[in-house]
Amino acid sequence: MILYLQLFLTFFQIGLFSIGGGYVAMPLLQSQTVDLHGWLTQAQFIDLITIAEMVPGSMSINSATFIGIKIAGIPGAIVAIVGNILPSFIIMLILAKLYEHYREQRIIRNVLTSVRPIVVAAILTAALILLEFAVGTFRQPNIFAIIVFLLAYMMLSSKRIPMGPVPVLGIGAAIGIAKLGIVYLLEAGIVVI
Amino acid sequence: MITEVKKGKPEVNVKFFLRLFWETFTLSMSAFGGGFVIVSLMRKKMVAKLGWIDQDEMMDFVIIAQSAPGSASVNVAMIVGYHLARTPGALVATLGTVLPPMIIVSIISIIYAVLQHNVWVEAAFSGMRPVVAAIVLQVSWKFFKPFLKAKAIPAILLFIISFALLYVMKISMITLILVMLALSTTANLLDMRRRKRRMEEDV
């Protein structure tokens, strides 16, 4: 019971403070589920983001489902999702009512745009934590991961052949599998350098 | 175009709710990439295909959905549903939007739990981890670029300060947001009062 309450409150907070959409939920998810509750390891967290990136639907709903199921099965997923969308549901109903009456809420918009730089800084922070985890530190760099990272960044921001996240993730998976295959072949002595 | 689009709000009955559920469900099912993709698909469907909502209203809805917390896709569904059929409409549209990712991720997470220690699956994920870092880093750059383009010095300063607080000092994002919301609300209310007073003086 306490677990359900924890799930609900955690995702309620994530829903309430993810101002500016999907990716904003990520730094919150990281601090709440990895650092605070220890529901996921850093490796599982980055896998979760990978999965959330590959399937339809928003980051926060996908994460709520994934974590909810892991912690407390399907009921856990439902509790996490309801907790996650309840704050926006309440706020959207209020905004919708206001809209039907006034058709303008400049103050709300001003206030919410004012936190935008904080939110962007939070996403960058989360990205750097993911990067550190994926490619290692200056002392122990993972050369393979650094090459994949640079390749992926180039593919994602290339203007000539714009690639979405899903195909680039596919390429990353293929490289990872190919690398393991080569290692096996070398170990078995089938291929000799 | 020969196809006639009936304009205006549809009649609210059981058939309408089923239709609303189906439209939001299929939309959410096909929206890879989350947030903004689904918003643009929603605009196409609700404005062009179904004619339930007019272009201007849809634009307003998107702005409101993006300014409220939570994911833009769910928020747009909520406000569209509310506009068409009040709170029950909002509930049905939300359910239609949330159900597909819930079902898909449930299946995947069960598979992941079984396979996560398989060496080949591990290898695939080890290749995808640097890609995810690249994706998120690129997203933060995309969000930051508008500040640079607009030469918004206060926003850039706030960004640098928040980054230092978050990354170096490990202060929680929620604390920062709460402080900023309080400051900004006060400033905006004071500004509104000042403007009102000036208008009264002019009269």
Side-chain angles (χ1 to χ4, degrees):
Chain A
M1 202 56 217
I2 289 176
L3 197 60
Y4 288 123
L5 195 67
Q6 264 184 349
L7 263 177
F8 181 83
L9 288 177
T10 301
F11 279 95
F12 190 87
Q13 272 187 55
I14 292 170
L16 185 61
F17 288 102
S18 49
I19 298 168
Y23 280 98
V24 185
M26 215 190 66
L28 288 164
L29 273 166
Q30 202 172 35
S31 65
Q32 292 274 327
T33 62
V34 181
D35 304 336
L36 189 67
H37 292 294
W39 286 333
L40 299 178
T41 63
Q42 188 65 43
Q44 286 171 331
F45 177 74
I46 196 164
D47 291 350
L48 158 65
I49 304 296
T50 311
I51 292 169
E53 199 66 59
M54 283 190 295
V55 300
S58 71
M59 174 83 62
S60 51
I61 302 291
N62 291 345
S63 312
T65 312
F66 186 90
I67 294 168
I69 283 195
K70 186 171 183 294
I71 304 305
I74 301 280
I78 294 169
V79 167
I81 290 177
V82 172
N84 189 231
I85 58 178
L86 199 60
S88 27
F89 195 80
I90 296 166
I91 292 169
M92 284 307 290
L93 280 191
I94 296 170
L95 289 181
K97 274 210 174 101
L98 283 175
Y99 174 81
E100 306 281 315
H101 287 290
Y102 303 104
R103 301 233 154 191
E104 195 200 13
Q105 6 1 72
R106 213 184 34 205
I107 291 195
I108 299 173
R109 208 175 300 159
N110 278 349
V111 168
L112 290 170
T113 33
S114 72
V115 298
R116 196 116 181 118
I118 300 177
V119 162
V120 180
I123 297 175
L124 179 64
T125 305
L128 291 178
I129 295 172
L130 288 185
L131 186 64
E132 253 172 41
F133 184 80
V135 307
T137 52
F138 279 112
R139 278 185 202 164
Q140 289 174 301
N142 177 344
I143 306 292
F144 164 74
I146 292 175
I147 293 169
V148 176
F149 166 77
L150 291 175
L151 199 71
Y153 200 94
M154 267 158 40
M155 281 194 267
L156 287 166
S157 42
S158 140
K159 288 214 172 86
R160 242 178 263 165
I161 347 156
M163 274 180 117
V166 179
V168 184
L169 279 168
I171 292 171
I175 294 176
I177 291 173
K179 187 193 164 214
L180 182 68
I182 291 169
V183 169
Y184 274 4
L185 289 176
L186 285 174
E187 274 176 3
I190 299 169
V191 179
V192 183
I193 296 177
Chain B
M1 289 277 266
I2 313 160
T3 43
E4 208 177 290
V5 178
K6 238 200 273 170
K7 289 283 170 198
K9 284 191 201 180
E11 202 184 321
V12 176
N13 48 33
V14 178
K15 216 178 133 198
F16 162 76
F17 281 120
L18 286 174
R19 185 79 194 274
L20 180 63
F21 177 79
W22 178 246
E23 295 294 352
T24 47
F25 187 87
T26 47
L27 196 74
S28 175
M29 201 79 188
S30 56
F32 284 85
F36 299 104
V37 179
I38 199 173
V39 169
S40 62
L41 286 176
M42 176 82 93
R43 187 183 296 167
K44 261 184 213 147
K45 195 169 238 184
M46 292 293 164
V47 178
K49 189 186 149 205
L50 298 167
W52 284 353
I53 292 164
D54 72 48
Q55 183 71 34
D56 289 344
E57 283 171 336
M58 195 64 209
M59 290 283 273
D60 288 344
F61 291 167
V62 172
I63 293 169
I64 297 170
Q66 282 171 349
S67 54
S71 71
S73 52
V74 182
N75 290 354
V76 168
M78 284 171 184
I79 195 164
V80 164
Y82 182 85
H83 179 74
L84 293 172
R86 304 291 126 181
T87 311
L91 280 172
V92 168
T94 306
L95 196 67
T97 307
V98 169
L99 227 43
M102 192 190 147
I103 296 167
I104 295 170
V105 176
S106 297
I107 296 168
I108 290 181
S109 62
I110 291 164
I111 298 172
Y112 174 81
V114 176
L115 288 183
Q116 68 169 310
H117 298 300
N118 175 295
V119 278
W120 296 101
V121 175
E122 255 175 25
F125 273 103
S126 80
M128 288 190 285
R129 278 174 199 154
V131 179
V132 169
I135 291 170
V136 182
L137 205 62
Q138 214 225 354
V139 165
S140 35
W141 170 241
K142 262 190 205 155
F143 281 146
F144 183 68
K145 233 176 15 190
F147 298 147
L148 277 185
K149 260 194 192 147
K151 296 203 175 71
I153 307 291
I156 294 172
L157 278 177
L158 179 60
F159 168 83
I160 295 170
I161 296 166
S162 336
F163 179 70
L165 289 173
L166 290 163
Y167 190 65
V168 186
M169 312 272 288
K170 309 273 178 220
I171 286 179
S172 99
M173 170 188 170
I174 294 179
T175 317
L176 278 187
I177 288 183
L178 282 178
V179 170
M180 192 61 206
L181 283 179
L183 287 176
S184 175
T185 311
T186 325
N188 270 290
L189 287 176
L190 285 176
D191 185 56
M192 193 179 76
R193 214 196 239 171
R194 203 179 303 143
R195 222 176 279 161
K196 245 187 204 161
R197 205 175 292 157
R198 205 173 294 156
M199 264 164 64
E200 281 165 3
E201 278 168 14
D202 284 349
V203 174

